[in-house]
Amino acid sequence: NAQVIILNHPGQINAGYAPVLDCHTAHIARRFAELITKIDRRTGKELEASPKFVKSRDPCIPQLVPQKPMCVESFAESPPLGPFPVPDMRQTVAVGVIKSVEKREYSPKVGGKKK
């Protein structure tokens, strides 16, 4: 999960939006699997649970799922690996920080090409 603030997006961002995120040195597409909550800009309190969409200037907490395995840490654990920009359409449409990470064991595919 991450806390993301939408800066400049011409439309709405729904669940399923998949931009390429620049997190530290990784450039990997991540899908907004679910919009968990929309939060208030000033207080940080929850405004709406499971919103259908978010627009420009809306902070939210989405569940981000990477398309490929990547190494990240929460902002509390490692501040240099926590923040990330969301570039799309040749501009930065959002910025965010990683709040929590669901860690999984990565096992590469065994075998390879058959002859």
Side-chain angles (χ1 to χ4, degrees), residues 68-81:
K68 294 180 180 178
M70 66 184 299
C71 179
V72 294
E73 288 293 334
S74 67
F75 186 75
E77 293 284 324
S78 178
L81 293 178

Side-chain angles (χ1 to χ4, degrees), residues 8-12 56 89 91 93:
N8 187 17
H9 195 273
Q12 302 171 348
S56 289
M89 301 174 291
Q91 62 183 356
V93 297

